Amino acid sequence: MGKRQKPFKPGHGYTKKDWDNVQSPELTASQIARAKPFAEAFPELAASIRRGRGPNKAPTKKLVSLRLSGEVLEAYKAKGPGWQSRIDADLRRINKIK
C-alpha cells in the first residue's frame, strides 16, 4: 500500500503546520481485520448523532400532488429552504385554520 495523504485545505480550524504534524501510520492487516463499523463499536454515540426525524408515528400531513404556477413556486423557493412549510402556513392563514 502506498502512502496517500489528502492535500491541506485551509479554513477548517487548523493550520498547515498542525496538518503536517499529524502522524498516521498505516494500519496493519491485523488491525484492519479487527476493525468494526462505527455504529457497532459505539452504538449509543451513533444513535445520538443519527440524522433524520425518525418514523412519523402520528402523521399530521398528507402527501399530495399539486400544480402551482411557475411564478408562485419560484417566489417561495427564492426565500430559501422550507418553502413547502411556508405555502402550508399561508394556506392555513388564508383559510383561517389553526
Side-chain angles (χ1 to χ4, degrees):
M1 287 186 213
K3 192 169 190 173
R4 294 178 299 170
Q5 182 177 351
K6 292 182 181 180
F8 170 74
K9 293 181 183 174
H12 292 282
Y14 46 84
T15 66
K16 174 81 166 95
K17 183 179 177 184
D18 294 333
W19 178 265
D20 291 338
N21 284 335
V22 172
Q23 295 185 16
S24 299
E26 288 190 36
L27 296 174
T28 65
S30 172
Q31 289 171 318
I32 292 171
R34 290 192 318 263
K36 295 179 183 177
F38 179 81
E40 187 179 319
F42 305 100
E44 296 85 15
L45 182 57
S48 73
I49 60 174
R50 216 171 257 127
R51 296 190 189 270
R53 294 183 352 198
N56 194 351
K57 292 185 169 68
T60 59
K61 296 184 179 179
K62 306 270 185 206
L63 178 63
V64 297
S65 176
L66 178 66
R67 293 181 183 267
L68 301 171
S69 70
E71 295 85 3
V72 168
L73 189 58
E74 290 308 313
Y76 276 93
K77 284 186 171 185
K79 294 178 184 172
W83 59 271
Q84 299 98 326
S85 296
R86 284 193 298 277
I87 291 174
D88 183 64
D90 288 349
L91 290 171
R92 287 172 166 276
R93 189 172 49 253
I94 290 167
N95 291 290
K96 298 180 179 139
I97 302 170
K98 290 189 176 200

Coordinates of all heavy atoms in Angstrom, one line a residue:
M1 N 0.8 -1.2 0.0 CA 0.0 0.0 0.0 C 0.9 1.2 0.0 O 1.7 1.4 0.9 CB -0.9 0.0 1.2 CG -2.0 -0.9 1.3 SD -3.0 -0.6 2.7 CE -3.6 -2.2 3.0
G2 N 0.6 2.1 -0.9 CA 1.4 3.4 -1.0 C 0.7 4.4 0.0 O -0.5 4.3 0.3
K3 N 1.6 5.3 0.5 CA 1.0 6.3 1.4 C 0.4 7.4 0.6 O 1.1 8.1 -0.2 CB 2.2 6.8 2.3 CG 1.7 7.6 3.5 CD 2.9 7.8 4.4 CE 2.3 8.4 5.7 NZ 3.3 8.5 6.7
R4 N -0.9 7.6 0.8 CA -1.6 8.7 0.2 C -2.1 9.7 1.3 O -2.7 9.3 2.2 CB -2.8 8.2 -0.5 CG -2.5 7.3 -1.7 CD -3.8 6.8 -2.4 NE -4.5 6.0 -1.3 CZ -5.8 5.6 -1.5 NH1 -6.4 5.9 -2.6 NH2 -6.4 4.9 -0.5
Q5 N -1.7 11.0 1.1 CA -2.1 12.0 2.0 C -3.0 13.0 1.3 O -2.7 13.4 0.2 CB -0.9 12.7 2.6 CG -1.3 13.7 3.7 CD -0.1 14.4 4.3 OE1 1.0 14.0 4.1 NE2 -0.3 15.4 5.1
K6 N -4.1 13.3 2.0 CA -5.0 14.3 1.4 C -4.3 15.6 1.4 O -3.5 15.9 2.3 CB -6.3 14.4 2.2 CG -7.2 13.2 2.2 CD -8.4 13.5 3.0 CE -9.4 12.3 3.0 NZ -10.6 12.6 3.8
P7 N -4.6 16.5 0.5 CA -4.0 17.8 0.5 C -4.6 18.7 1.6 O -5.8 18.5 1.9 CB -4.3 18.4 -0.9 CG -5.5 17.6 -1.4 CD -5.4 16.3 -0.7
F8 N -3.8 19.6 2.1 CA -4.2 20.5 3.1 C -5.2 21.5 2.5 O -5.0 22.0 1.4 CB -3.0 21.3 3.7 CG -3.5 22.4 4.6 CD1 -4.0 22.2 5.9 CD2 -3.3 23.7 4.2 CE1 -4.3 23.2 6.7 CE2 -3.7 24.8 5.0 CZ -4.2 24.5 6.3
K9 N -6.3 21.8 3.2 CA -7.3 22.8 2.8 C -7.5 23.7 3.9 O -8.0 23.3 5.0 CB -8.6 22.1 2.4 CG -8.5 21.3 1.1 CD -9.8 20.6 0.8 CE -9.7 19.7 -0.4 NZ -10.9 19.0 -0.7
P10 N -7.2 25.0 3.8 CA -7.4 26.0 4.9 C -8.8 26.2 5.2 O -9.7 25.9 4.4 CB -6.7 27.2 4.3 CG -6.7 27.1 2.8 CD -6.7 25.6 2.6
G11 N -9.1 26.7 6.4 CA -10.4 27.1 6.8 C -11.2 26.1 7.5 O -12.4 26.1 7.6
H12 N -10.5 25.1 8.1 CA -11.2 24.0 8.9 C -10.8 24.1 10.3 O -11.0 23.1 11.0 CB -10.9 22.7 8.3 CG -11.5 22.5 6.9 ND1 -12.8 22.2 6.7 CD2 -10.9 22.5 5.7 CE1 -13.0 22.1 5.4 NE2 -11.9 22.3 4.8
G13 N -10.2 25.1 10.8 CA -9.9 25.3 12.2 C -8.5 24.8 12.6 O -8.2 24.7 13.8
Y14 N -7.6 24.4 11.6 CA -6.3 24.0 12.0 C -5.3 24.6 10.9 O -5.7 24.9 9.8 CB -6.1 22.5 12.0 CG -6.8 21.8 10.9 CD1 -6.1 21.6 9.7 CD2 -8.1 21.3 11.1 CE1 -6.7 20.9 8.7 CE2 -8.7 20.6 10.0 CZ -8.0 20.4 8.8 OH -8.6 19.8 7.8
T15 N -4.1 24.8 11.3 CA -3.1 25.4 10.4 C -2.4 24.3 9.5 O -2.5 23.1 9.8 CB -2.0 26.1 11.2 OG1 -1.3 25.2 11.9 CG2 -2.6 27.2 12.1
K16 N -1.6 24.7 8.5 CA -0.8 23.8 7.7 C 0.2 23.1 8.6 O 0.4 21.9 8.4 CB -0.1 24.6 6.6 CG 0.8 23.8 5.8 CD 0.1 23.0 4.7 CE 1.1 22.5 3.7 NZ 1.6 21.2 3.9
K17 N 0.7 23.8 9.6 CA 1.7 23.2 10.5 C 1.1 22.1 11.3 O 1.6 21.0 11.4 CB 2.3 24.3 11.4 CG 3.4 23.8 12.4 CD 3.9 24.9 13.3 CE 4.9 24.3 14.2 NZ 5.4 25.3 15.2
D18 N -0.2 22.4 11.8 CA -0.9 21.3 12.5 C -1.1 20.1 11.6 O -0.9 19.0 12.0 CB -2.3 21.8 13.0 CG -2.2 22.9 14.0 OD1 -1.2 22.9 14.8 OD2 -3.2 23.7 14.1
W19 N -1.5 20.4 10.4 CA -1.8 19.3 9.4 C -0.5 18.5 9.2 O -0.6 17.2 9.2 CB -2.2 20.0 8.1 CG -2.5 19.0 7.0 CD1 -1.6 18.7 6.0 CD2 -3.7 18.3 6.7 NE1 -2.2 17.8 5.1 CE2 -3.5 17.5 5.5 CE3 -4.9 18.2 7.3 CZ2 -4.4 16.7 5.0 CZ3 -5.9 17.4 6.8 CH2 -5.6 16.6 5.6
D20 N 0.6 19.2 9.0 CA 1.9 18.5 8.7 C 2.4 17.7 9.9 O 3.1 16.7 9.8 CB 3.0 19.4 8.3 CG 2.6 20.0 6.9 OD1 1.9 19.4 6.1 OD2 3.2 21.1 6.6
N21 N 2.0 18.1 11.2 CA 2.5 17.4 12.4 C 1.7 16.2 12.7 O 2.1 15.4 13.6 CB 2.5 18.4 13.6 CG 3.6 19.4 13.5 OD1 4.6 19.1 12.9 ND2 3.4 20.5 14.1
V22 N 0.6 15.9 12.1 CA -0.2 14.7 12.4 C 0.5 13.5 11.8 O 0.9 13.5 10.6 CB -1.6 14.8 11.8 CG1 -2.4 13.5 11.9 CG2 -2.4 15.9 12.4
Q23 N 0.7 12.5 12.6 CA 1.3 11.3 12.1 C 0.3 10.1 12.2 O -0.2 9.8 13.3 CB 2.5 10.9 13.0 CG 3.6 12.0 12.9 CD 4.9 11.6 13.7 OE1 5.0 10.5 14.0 NE2 5.7 12.6 13.9
S24 N 0.0 9.6 11.1 CA -1.0 8.5 11.0 C -0.3 7.3 10.3 O -0.3 7.2 9.1 CB -2.2 8.9 10.2 OG -2.8 10.0 10.8
P25 N 0.2 6.4 11.1 CA 0.9 5.2 10.4 C -0.2 4.4 9.8 O -1.4 4.3 10.2 CB 1.5 4.5 11.6 CG 0.8 5.0 12.8 CD 0.3 6.4 12.5
E26 N 0.2 3.7 8.7 CA -0.7 2.8 8.0 C -1.2 1.7 8.9 O -0.4 1.2 9.8 CB 0.0 2.2 6.8 CG 0.2 3.2 5.7 CD 0.6 2.6 4.4 OE1 0.2 1.4 4.1 OE2 1.4 3.2 3.7
L27 N -2.4 1.2 8.8 CA -2.9 0.1 9.6 C -2.3 -1.2 9.1 O -2.1 -1.4 7.9 CB -4.4 0.1 9.5 CG -5.2 1.3 10.0 CD1 -6.7 1.1 9.7 CD2 -5.0 1.4 11.5
T28 N -2.1 -2.1 10.0 CA -1.7 -3.4 9.7 C -2.8 -4.3 9.3 O -4.0 -3.9 9.6 CB -0.9 -4.1 10.9 OG1 -1.9 -4.3 11.9 CG2 0.2 -3.2 11.4
A29 N -2.6 -5.4 8.6 CA -3.6 -6.3 8.2 C -4.4 -6.8 9.4 O -5.6 -6.9 9.4 CB -3.1 -7.5 7.4
S30 N -3.7 -7.0 10.6 CA -4.4 -7.5 11.8 C -5.3 -6.4 12.3 O -6.4 -6.7 12.8 CB -3.3 -7.8 12.8 OG -3.9 -8.0 14.1
Q31 N -4.9 -5.1 12.3 CA -5.8 -4.0 12.8 C -7.0 -3.9 11.9 O -8.1 -3.7 12.4 CB -5.0 -2.7 12.8 CG -3.9 -2.6 13.9 CD -3.0 -1.4 13.7 OE1 -2.6 -1.1 12.6 NE2 -2.7 -0.8 14.8
I32 N -6.8 -4.0 10.6 CA -7.9 -3.9 9.6 C -8.9 -5.1 9.9 O -10.1 -4.9 9.9 CB -7.4 -3.9 8.2 CG1 -6.7 -2.6 7.9 CG2 -8.6 -4.1 7.2 CD1 -5.9 -2.5 6.6
A33 N -8.4 -6.2 10.2 CA -9.3 -7.4 10.4 C -10.1 -7.2 11.7 O -11.2 -7.7 11.7 CB -8.4 -8.7 10.5
R34 N -9.6 -6.5 12.7 CA -10.3 -6.3 13.9 C -11.2 -5.1 13.9 O -12.0 -4.8 14.8 CB -9.3 -6.1 15.1 CG -8.6 -7.4 15.4 CD -7.8 -7.2 16.8 NE -7.2 -5.9 16.9 CZ -5.8 -5.7 16.7 NH1 -5.1 -6.7 16.2 NH2 -5.3 -4.5 16.9
A35 N -11.2 -4.3 12.8 CA -12.0 -3.1 12.7 C -13.5 -3.4 12.7 O -13.9 -4.4 12.1 CB -11.6 -2.3 11.5
K36 N -14.3 -2.5 13.4 CA -15.7 -2.6 13.4 C -16.3 -1.4 12.8 O -15.8 -0.3 13.0 CB -16.2 -2.8 14.8 CG -15.7 -4.0 15.5 CD -16.3 -4.1 17.0 CE -15.8 -5.2 17.7 NZ -16.2 -5.2 19.1
P37 N -17.5 -1.5 12.3 CA -18.2 -0.2 11.9 C -18.5 0.7 13.1 O -18.6 0.2 14.3 CB -19.6 -0.8 11.4 CG -19.3 -2.2 11.1 CD -18.3 -2.7 12.0
F38 N -18.5 2.0 12.9 CA -18.6 2.9 14.0 C -19.9 2.6 14.8 O -19.8 2.6 16.1 CB -18.7 4.4 13.4 CG -18.9 5.4 14.4 CD1 -17.8 5.9 15.2 CD2 -20.2 5.9 14.7 CE1 -18.0 6.9 16.1 CE2 -20.4 6.9 15.7 CZ -19.3 7.4 16.4
A39 N -21.0 2.4 14.2 CA -22.3 2.1 14.9 C -22.2 0.9 15.8 O -22.9 0.8 16.8 CB -23.4 2.0 13.9
E40 N -21.4 -0.1 15.4 CA -21.2 -1.3 16.2 C -20.3 -1.1 17.3 O -20.5 -1.6 18.4 CB -20.7 -2.4 15.3 CG -20.6 -3.8 15.9 CD -20.1 -4.8 15.0 OE1 -20.5 -4.8 13.8 OE2 -19.3 -5.7 15.4
A41 N -19.2 -0.3 17.1 CA -18.2 0.0 18.2 C -18.8 0.9 19.2 O -18.5 0.8 20.4 CB -16.9 0.5 17.5
F42 N -19.6 1.9 18.8 CA -20.1 2.9 19.7 C -21.6 3.1 19.5 O -22.1 4.2 19.0 CB -19.4 4.3 19.5 CG -17.9 4.2 19.6 CD1 -17.1 4.1 18.5 CD2 -17.3 4.2 20.9 CE1 -15.7 4.1 18.6 CE2 -15.9 4.1 21.0 CZ -15.1 4.1 19.9
P43 N -22.4 2.1 19.8 CA -23.9 2.2 19.4 C -24.6 3.4 20.1 O -25.4 4.0 19.4 CB -24.4 0.9 19.9 CG -23.4 0.3 20.9 CD -22.1 0.9 20.5
E44 N -24.3 3.7 21.3 CA -25.0 4.8 22.0 C -24.7 6.1 21.3 O -25.5 7.0 21.0 CB -24.7 4.9 23.5 CG -25.2 3.7 24.3 CD -24.2 2.6 24.3 OE1 -23.0 2.8 23.9 OE2 -24.6 1.4 24.6
L45 N -23.4 6.3 21.0 CA -23.0 7.6 20.4 C -23.5 7.7 18.9 O -24.0 8.7 18.5 CB -21.4 7.7 20.3 CG -20.8 8.9 19.7 CD1 -21.3 10.2 20.4 CD2 -19.3 8.8 19.8
A46 N -23.5 6.6 18.2 CA -24.0 6.5 16.9 C -25.5 6.9 16.9 O -26.0 7.6 16.0 CB -23.8 5.2 16.2
A47 N -26.3 6.3 17.8 CA -27.7 6.6 17.9 C -28.0 8.1 18.2 O -28.9 8.7 17.7 CB -28.3 5.7 19.0
S48 N -27.1 8.7 19.0 CA -27.3 10.1 19.5 C -27.0 11.1 18.3 O -27.5 12.2 18.4 CB -26.4 10.4 20.7 OG -25.0 10.5 20.3
I49 N -26.2 10.7 17.3 CA -25.9 11.6 16.3 C -26.6 11.3 15.0 O -26.4 12.0 14.0 CB -24.3 11.7 16.1 CG1 -23.7 10.4 15.7 CG2 -23.7 12.3 17.3 CD1 -22.3 10.4 15.3
R50 N -27.4 10.2 15.0 CA -28.1 9.8 13.7 C -29.0 11.0 13.3 O -29.7 11.6 14.1 CB -28.9 8.6 14.0 CG -28.9 7.6 12.8 CD -29.5 6.3 13.2 NE -28.5 5.3 13.3 CZ -28.3 4.5 14.4 NH1 -29.1 4.6 15.4 NH2 -27.3 3.7 14.4
R51 N -28.9 11.2 12.0 CA -29.8 12.3 11.4 C -31.1 11.8 11.0 O -31.3 10.6 10.8 CB -29.1 13.0 10.3 CG -27.8 13.6 10.6 CD -27.3 14.5 9.5 NE -25.9 15.0 9.7 CZ -25.7 16.1 10.3 NH1 -26.6 16.9 10.7 NH2 -24.4 16.5 10.5
G52 N -32.1 12.6 10.9 CA -33.4 12.2 10.4 C -34.4 12.4 11.5 O -34.1 12.5 12.7
R53 N -35.6 12.5 11.1 CA -36.7 12.7 12.0 C -37.2 11.4 12.7 O -37.9 11.4 13.6 CB -37.9 13.4 11.3 CG -37.5 14.7 10.9 CD -38.7 15.5 10.2 NE -39.9 14.7 10.0 CZ -40.8 15.0 9.1 NH1 -40.7 16.1 8.4 NH2 -41.8 14.3 9.0
G54 N -36.9 10.3 12.0 CA -37.4 9.0 12.5 C -38.8 8.8 12.0 O -39.4 9.6 11.3
P55 N -39.5 7.7 12.4 CA -40.8 7.4 11.9 C -41.8 8.4 12.4 O -41.8 8.8 13.6 CB -41.1 6.0 12.5 CG -40.1 5.8 13.6 CD -38.9 6.7 13.4
N56 N -42.8 8.7 11.6 CA -43.8 9.6 11.9 C -45.0 8.8 12.5 O -45.8 8.2 11.8 CB -44.3 10.4 10.6 CG -45.1 11.6 11.0 OD1 -45.5 11.7 12.1 ND2 -45.4 12.4 10.0
K57 N -45.0 8.7 13.8 CA -46.0 7.8 14.5 C -47.4 8.3 14.3 O -48.3 7.5 14.3 CB -45.6 7.7 16.0 CG -44.3 6.9 16.1 CD -44.0 6.7 17.6 CE -42.9 5.7 17.8 NZ -41.6 6.0 17.5
A58 N -47.6 9.6 14.3 CA -49.0 10.1 14.2 C -48.9 11.2 13.0 O -48.8 12.4 13.3 CB -49.5 10.7 15.5
P59 N -49.0 10.7 11.8 CA -48.9 11.7 10.7 C -49.9 12.8 10.8 O -51.1 12.5 11.0 CB -49.1 10.8 9.4 CG -48.9 9.4 9.9 CD -49.2 9.4 11.3
T60 N -49.5 14.0 10.6 CA -50.4 15.1 10.7 C -50.6 15.7 9.3 O -51.4 16.6 9.1 CB -49.9 16.2 11.6 OG1 -48.6 16.6 11.2 CG2 -49.9 15.7 13.1
K61 N -49.8 15.3 8.3 CA -49.9 15.9 7.0 C -50.1 14.8 6.0 O -49.8 13.6 6.2 CB -48.6 16.6 6.7 CG -48.4 17.8 7.6 CD -47.2 18.6 7.2 CE -47.0 19.8 8.1 NZ -45.9 20.6 7.8
K62 N -50.7 15.1 4.9 CA -50.9 14.2 3.8 C -50.1 14.5 2.6 O -49.9 15.7 2.3 CB -52.4 14.3 3.4 CG -53.4 14.1 4.5 CD -53.8 12.7 4.7 CE -54.9 12.6 5.7 NZ -54.9 11.4 6.4
L63 N -49.6 13.5 1.9 CA -48.8 13.7 0.7 C -49.8 13.9 -0.5 O -50.7 13.1 -0.7 CB -47.9 12.5 0.4 CG -47.1 12.5 -0.9 CD1 -46.1 13.7 -0.8 CD2 -46.4 11.2 -1.0
V64 N -49.6 15.0 -1.2 CA -50.5 15.3 -2.4 C -49.6 15.8 -3.5 O -48.5 16.2 -3.3 CB -51.6 16.4 -2.1 CG1 -52.5 15.9 -1.0 CG2 -50.9 17.7 -1.7
S65 N -50.2 15.7 -4.7 CA -49.6 16.3 -5.9 C -50.3 17.5 -6.2 O -51.5 17.5 -6.2 CB -49.7 15.3 -7.0 OG -49.1 15.9 -8.2
L66 N -49.6 18.6 -6.4 CA -50.2 19.9 -6.5 C -49.5 20.7 -7.7 O -48.3 20.7 -7.7 CB -50.1 20.7 -5.2 CG -50.6 22.1 -5.2 CD1 -52.2 22.1 -5.3 CD2 -50.3 22.7 -3.8
R67 N -50.3 21.2 -8.6 CA -49.7 22.0 -9.6 C -49.8 23.5 -9.3 O -50.9 24.0 -9.0 CB -50.4 21.7 -11.0 CG -50.2 20.3 -11.5 CD -50.9 20.1 -12.8 NE -50.8 18.8 -13.3 CZ -49.8 18.4 -14.1 NH1 -48.9 19.2 -14.5 NH2 -49.7 17.1 -14.5
L68 N -48.7 24.1 -9.3 CA -48.6 25.6 -9.0 C -48.0 26.3 -10.2 O -47.2 25.7 -10.9 CB -47.7 25.8 -7.8 CG -48.1 25.1 -6.5 CD1 -47.0 25.3 -5.4 CD2 -49.4 25.7 -6.0
S69 N -48.3 27.6 -10.3 CA -47.7 28.3 -11.4 C -46.2 28.5 -11.1 O -45.8 28.5 -10.0 CB -48.4 29.7 -11.5 OG -48.0 30.5 -10.4
G70 N -45.5 28.6 -12.2 CA -44.0 28.8 -12.1 C -43.6 30.0 -11.2 O -42.7 29.9 -10.4
E71 N -44.4 31.1 -11.4 CA -44.1 32.3 -10.6 C -44.3 32.1 -9.1 O -43.5 32.5 -8.3 CB -45.0 33.4 -11.1 CG -44.8 33.9 -12.5 CD -45.6 33.1 -13.6 OE1 -46.3 32.2 -13.2 OE2 -45.4 33.3 -14.7
V72 N -45.4 31.4 -8.7 CA -45.6 31.1 -7.3 C -44.5 30.2 -6.8 O -43.9 30.5 -5.7 CB -47.0 30.5 -7.1 CG1 -47.2 30.0 -5.7 CG2 -48.1 31.5 -7.4
L73 N -44.2 29.2 -7.5 CA -43.2 28.3 -7.0 C -41.8 29.0 -6.8 O -41.2 28.8 -5.8 CB -43.1 27.1 -8.0 CG -42.2 25.9 -7.5 CD1 -42.7 25.3 -6.2 CD2 -42.3 24.8 -8.6
E74 N -41.4 29.7 -7.8 CA -40.1 30.4 -7.8 C -40.1 31.4 -6.6 O -39.1 31.6 -6.0 CB -39.8 31.1 -9.1 CG -39.5 30.1 -10.2 CD -38.4 29.1 -9.8 OE1 -37.4 29.5 -9.3 OE2 -38.6 27.9 -10.0
A75 N -41.2 32.1 -6.4 CA -41.3 33.1 -5.3 C -41.1 32.5 -4.0 O -40.3 33.0 -3.1 CB -42.6 33.9 -5.4
Y76 N -41.7 31.3 -3.8 CA -41.5 30.6 -2.5 C -40.1 30.0 -2.4 O -39.5 30.1 -1.3 CB -42.6 29.5 -2.3 CG -43.9 30.0 -1.7 CD1 -44.9 30.4 -2.6 CD2 -44.0 30.2 -0.4 CE1 -46.1 30.9 -2.1 CE2 -45.2 30.6 0.1 CZ -46.2 31.0 -0.7 OH -47.4 31.5 -0.2
K77 N -39.6 29.4 -3.4 CA -38.3 28.8 -3.4 C -37.2 29.9 -3.2 O -36.1 29.6 -2.6 CB -38.0 28.0 -4.7 CG -38.7 26.7 -4.7 CD -38.3 25.9 -5.9 CE -38.8 24.5 -5.9 NZ -38.3 23.7 -7.0
A78 N -37.4 31.1 -3.8 CA -36.4 32.1 -3.7 C -36.2 32.6 -2.2 O -35.1 33.1 -1.9 CB -36.9 33.4 -4.5
K79 N -37.1 32.3 -1.3 CA -36.9 32.7 0.1 C -36.2 31.6 0.8 O -36.0 31.7 2.0 CB -38.3 32.9 0.7 CG -39.0 34.1 0.1 CD -40.3 34.3 0.8 CE -41.1 35.5 0.1 NZ -42.4 35.6 0.5
G80 N -35.7 30.5 0.2 CA -34.9 29.5 0.8 C -35.6 28.3 1.2 O -36.8 28.1 0.9
P81 N -34.9 27.4 1.9 CA -35.4 26.1 2.4 C -36.7 26.3 3.2 O -36.8 27.4 3.9 CB -34.3 25.5 3.2 CG -33.1 26.2 2.7 CD -33.5 27.6 2.3
G82 N -37.6 25.4 3.2 CA -38.8 25.4 4.0 C -39.9 26.0 3.2 O -41.0 26.4 3.8
W83 N -39.8 26.1 1.9 CA -40.8 26.8 1.1 C -42.1 26.0 1.1 O -43.2 26.6 1.1 CB -40.4 26.9 -0.4 CG -40.0 25.7 -1.1 CD1 -38.7 25.1 -1.2 CD2 -40.8 24.9 -1.9 NE1 -38.8 24.0 -1.9 CE2 -40.0 23.8 -2.4 CE3 -42.2 24.9 -2.2 CZ2 -40.6 22.8 -3.2 CZ3 -42.7 23.9 -3.1 CH2 -41.9 22.9 -3.5
Q84 N -42.1 24.7 1.3 CA -43.3 23.9 1.4 C -44.1 24.3 2.6 O -45.3 24.4 2.6 CB -43.0 22.4 1.4 CG -42.4 21.9 0.1 CD -40.8 21.8 0.3 OE1 -40.2 22.6 1.0 NE2 -40.2 20.8 -0.4
S85 N -43.3 24.4 3.7 CA -44.0 24.8 5.0 C -44.6 26.2 4.9 O -45.6 26.5 5.5 CB -43.0 24.7 6.1 OG -42.6 23.4 6.3
R86 N -43.9 27.1 4.2 CA -44.4 28.4 4.1 C -45.7 28.4 3.3 O -46.7 29.2 3.6 CB -43.4 29.4 3.4 CG -42.3 29.8 4.4 CD -41.4 30.9 3.9 NE -40.7 30.6 2.7 CZ -39.6 29.9 2.6 NH1 -39.0 29.5 3.7 NH2 -39.0 29.7 1.5
I87 N -45.8 27.6 2.2 CA -47.0 27.5 1.5 C -48.1 27.0 2.4 O -49.3 27.5 2.4 CB -46.9 26.6 0.2 CG1 -46.0 27.3 -0.8 CG2 -48.2 26.2 -0.4 CD1 -45.6 26.4 -2.0
D88 N -47.8 26.0 3.2 CA -48.8 25.4 4.1 C -49.3 26.5 5.1 O -50.5 26.6 5.3 CB -48.2 24.2 4.9 CG -49.2 23.5 5.8 OD1 -50.2 23.0 5.3 OD2 -49.0 23.6 7.0
A89 N -48.3 27.2 5.6 CA -48.7 28.3 6.6 C -49.6 29.4 5.9 O -50.6 29.8 6.5 CB -47.4 28.9 7.2
D90 N -49.2 29.8 4.7 CA -50.0 30.8 4.0 C -51.4 30.3 3.7 O -52.4 31.0 3.9 CB -49.3 31.2 2.7 CG -48.1 32.1 3.0 OD1 -47.9 32.5 4.2 OD2 -47.4 32.3 2.1
L91 N -51.6 29.0 3.3 CA -52.9 28.5 3.0 C -53.7 28.4 4.3 O -54.9 28.6 4.3 CB -52.8 27.1 2.4 CG -52.3 27.1 0.9 CD1 -52.0 25.7 0.4 CD2 -53.3 27.9 0.0
R92 N -53.1 28.0 5.4 CA -53.8 27.9 6.7 C -54.3 29.3 7.1 O -55.4 29.4 7.6 CB -52.8 27.4 7.8 CG -52.5 25.9 7.7 CD -51.5 25.5 8.7 NE -51.4 24.1 8.9 CZ -52.2 23.4 9.7 NH1 -53.1 24.0 10.4 NH2 -52.1 22.1 9.7
R93 N -53.4 30.3 6.9 CA -53.8 31.7 7.3 C -55.0 32.2 6.4 O -55.9 32.7 7.0 CB -52.6 32.6 7.2 CG -52.8 34.0 7.7 CD -51.6 34.9 7.8 NE -50.8 34.9 6.5 CZ -49.6 34.3 6.3 NH1 -49.1 33.6 7.3 NH2 -49.0 34.4 5.2
I94 N -54.9 31.9 5.1 CA -56.0 32.4 4.2 C -57.3 31.7 4.6 O -58.4 32.3 4.5 CB -55.6 32.1 2.8 CG1 -54.4 33.0 2.3 CG2 -56.8 32.2 1.8 CD1 -53.8 32.6 1.0
N95 N -57.2 30.4 4.9 CA -58.4 29.6 5.2 C -58.8 29.6 6.7 O -59.7 28.9 7.1 CB -58.2 28.2 4.7 CG -58.2 28.1 3.2 OD1 -59.2 28.4 2.6 ND2 -57.1 27.9 2.6
K96 N -58.1 30.4 7.5 CA -58.3 30.6 8.9 C -58.3 29.2 9.6 O -59.2 28.9 10.4 CB -59.6 31.3 9.1 CG -59.6 32.7 8.6 CD -60.8 33.5 8.8 CE -60.6 34.9 8.2 NZ -61.7 35.4 7.5
I97 N -57.3 28.5 9.4 CA -57.1 27.2 10.0 C -55.9 27.3 11.0 O -54.9 27.8 10.7 CB -56.7 26.1 9.0 CG1 -57.8 26.0 7.9 CG2 -56.5 24.7 9.6 CD1 -57.5 25.1 6.7
K98 N -56.1 26.8 12.2 CA -55.0 26.9 13.2 C -54.0 25.9 13.0 O -53.7 24.9 12.7 CB -55.5 26.8 14.6 CG -56.3 28.0 14.9 CD -56.7 28.0 16.4 CE -57.4 29.3 16.7 NZ -57.4 29.7 18.1

